[in-house]
Amino acid sequence: MSLSRRNWLKASSLFTATLGLSRWTTSQATAKPAQALAADAFTKEHMVMPPSTPKLRARLLANENPLGIAPSAKKAIIESASSGNRYAWSEFGPLKKLIADKEGIKPEHIMMSPGSSDMLLAAAEHFAKGGGTILTCRPTYEDLLKKSTLFGGSVKALPLTKEYKFDLPAIQAALTPDVKLVYIVNPNNPTGTILSPAELEAFCRAVAPKVPVFIDEAYIDFLSPADRPMLGKLVAEGLNIIQARTFSKIHGFAGLRLGYAIAQPAMLEAMHQYIGAEHDVSITTLMAGTASYQDQAWQDYCRAENAKARDFTVKALTEMGYEVIPSYANFMLFPIRMKTKAFSEQMMAQGIGIQTRDIDGQPFCRVSIGTMEEMGMFVDSFKKVVG
């Protein structure tokens, strides 16, 4: 079973096997992340979940917002609770207008959904049918890719660059007639790396006229507004770009479920045939989302707290001799010096929930960013486990 944003509590998954399996040895454990990620011949994701749910002191395994939802969103939920017997309908209008005005598009370019997982599912089915190929780089977020293969499609995955970013020139050079969709995750998961706005815009202008470009922006809100690619203008120009966004991260709606896609109206209509989309969004969630979207102060606060806790953790790991891949999201990835299963189990025994990955045979830890207190617990437990 694949580990998606919506079913992260399920079993861990094996999600790519392209060039063969290389063996991990103790001597390889100190390899630079670039060496481990460059080939990406084999990637295995682990999340140890014992038969009974453990009591966690620090829940750092699902990239959730530890600060919760905004007070304004809580207020909106309470005020809209009496409307919970109704389906959301005209209430979508205000939020769509807010998004459209911010992105420089029209409301008809937006389709709401319960999180962004539905958008990934719809794209996977739409573009994989008939044996279509999805072109991407790995390691990355696997939900759309795994589902594409289930629907009869194939995945062509290139390695990341030595800076652990999507290799846009390589993707452009690898375009072939069988490629039906280009999939990019920015910031990327699990590496946390980003593409520059200018680079991504130039890529989209060159590629989107030939093949649709799907950009998964689940973690885009952790970038300051000035640093974010503003691709809505390309959609407004008519380019075939799909942007998937979620409220599950900085807005803290992982349990409430709200997200949206930005694309051409015809593309949204094509994707809608595979999912319930707006029909599946509760009115209380929608009202909370409308309030949270306008609450810039809360978003700024969450972004600042995340950066502070992330910087603290990077500094602590670096002082212990570990090289952390520079992250711009609410998680980080770094190579560890013991086997993943043993590491996960020992961290869980300390009450610290994390994820691990085997990438090209190299063990990695991916840890979500919690509060400062939780990251202190992580660092203390990490020191005990690795000795």
Side-chain angles (χ1 to χ4, degrees):
M1 293 182 291
S2 85
L3 183 70
S4 71
R5 298 189 183 101
R6 204 166 188 177
N7 66 356
W8 59 268
L9 284 175
K10 295 182 180 178
S12 58
S13 62
L14 169 66
F15 59 68
T16 181
T18 54
L19 302 177
L21 171 62
S22 61
R23 293 186 178 275
W24 174 80
T25 64
T26 303
S27 62
Q28 290 174 322
T30 56
K32 300 290 186 182
Q35 295 172 307
L37 295 182
D40 191 31
F42 183 83
T43 306
K44 188 174 183 180
E45 178 177 336
H46 308 276
M47 185 165 66
V48 175
M49 295 302 294
S52 59
T53 304
K55 183 180 176 73
L56 295 178
R57 295 188 301 133
R59 181 163 144 160
L60 308 175
L61 43 68
N63 298 345
E64 299 156 323
N65 184 343
L67 303 175
I69 66 174
S72 59
K74 294 178 185 178
K75 183 173 183 288
I77 289 174
I78 294 171
E79 292 178 347
S80 63
S82 60
S83 300
N85 60 314
R86 304 294 186 186
Y87 296 110
W89 184 32
S90 60
E91 293 83 2
F92 285 104
L95 180 53
K96 284 188 175 183
K97 187 177 188 308
L98 287 170
I99 297 171
D101 290 346
K102 181 177 179 179
E103 301 295 332
I105 54 178
K106 297 179 180 179
E108 52 262 41
H109 288 124
I110 302 166
M111 181 167 67
M112 308 302 298
S113 68
S116 60
S117 294
D118 280 23
M119 302 303 182
L120 302 179
L121 170 64
E125 186 166 2
H126 181 68
F127 291 103
K129 64 183 180 181
T133 297
I134 312 299
L135 179 59
T136 189
C137 289
R138 273 173 168 154
T140 193
Y141 189 64
E142 288 289 318
D143 201 24
L144 183 151
L145 306 179
K146 284 290 289 184
K147 288 184 171 67
S148 295
T149 61
L150 294 177
F151 291 124
S154 61
V155 175
K156 182 177 182 181
L158 307 174
L160 298 174
T161 68
K162 64 181 181 179
E163 292 84 19
Y164 331 114
K165 301 179 181 181
F166 269 73
D167 194 335
L168 298 185
I171 291 176
Q172 192 169 347
L175 288 174
T176 52
D178 62 307
V179 173
K180 303 303 180 184
L181 182 72
V182 172
Y183 179 61
I184 294 171
V185 183
N186 186 56
N188 188 31
N189 179 10
T191 62
T193 50
I194 58 172
L195 297 163
S196 74
E199 181 184 17
L200 187 55
E201 179 180 338
F203 173 84
C204 289
R205 289 191 179 279
V207 174
K210 305 172 187 176
V211 60
V213 179
F214 189 114
I215 304 172
D216 187 339
E217 296 183 317
Y219 301 95
I220 201 70
D221 294 312
F222 288 100
L223 298 178
S224 65
D227 295 332
R228 299 174 198 169
M230 296 299 292
L231 302 177
K233 61 184 178 183
L234 304 186
V235 175
E237 291 174 17
L239 287 177
N240 205 353
I241 297 168
I242 306 163
Q243 295 171 262
R245 304 270 183 84
T246 182
F247 279 64
S248 295
K249 305 309 173 183
I250 206 166
H251 292 280
F253 279 40
L256 291 171
R257 310 305 302 152
L258 183 63
Y260 60 96
I262 297 174
Q264 299 304 323
M267 178 61 69
L268 295 178
E269 183 178 353
M271 292 171 62
H272 194 193
Q273 65 182 312
Y274 305 107
I275 55 175
E278 295 180 352
H279 301 304
D280 294 336
V281 178
S282 74
I283 192 169
T284 48
T285 289
L286 180 59
M287 294 297 95
T290 303
S292 186
Y293 192 83
Q294 299 175 85
D295 197 336
Q296 192 60 55
W298 180 257
Q299 295 171 51
D300 291 343
Y301 170 69
C302 292
R303 190 180 306 112
E305 290 298 303
N306 177 77
K308 183 166 61 175
R310 186 180 60 203
D311 291 346
F312 161 80
T313 311
V314 169
K315 183 175 184 293
L317 291 170
T318 301
E319 289 174 350
M320 287 186 277
Y322 289 85
E323 182 180 356
V324 181
I325 298 172
S327 173
Y328 295 83
N330 65 334
F331 56 86
M332 61 180 66
L333 184 73
F334 63 97
I336 54 178
R337 299 165 189 165
M338 60 188 295
K339 293 183 178 180
T340 47
K341 186 175 185 294
F343 175 76
S344 295
E345 289 175 343
Q346 291 181 45
M347 289 294 287
M348 189 68 76
Q350 298 281 330
I352 310 297
I354 48 86
Q355 283 194 33
T356 54
R357 305 254 197 305
D358 284 325
I359 303 176
D360 196 19
Q362 166 71 51
F364 279 79
C365 171
R366 195 205 73 180
V367 58
S368 303
I369 306 302
T371 62
M372 283 294 291
E373 181 182 8
E374 289 172 327
M375 300 320 292
M377 293 178 188
F378 167 78
V379 171
D380 290 342
S381 296
F382 183 81
K383 290 177 179 178
K384 293 176 183 177
V385 169
V386 303

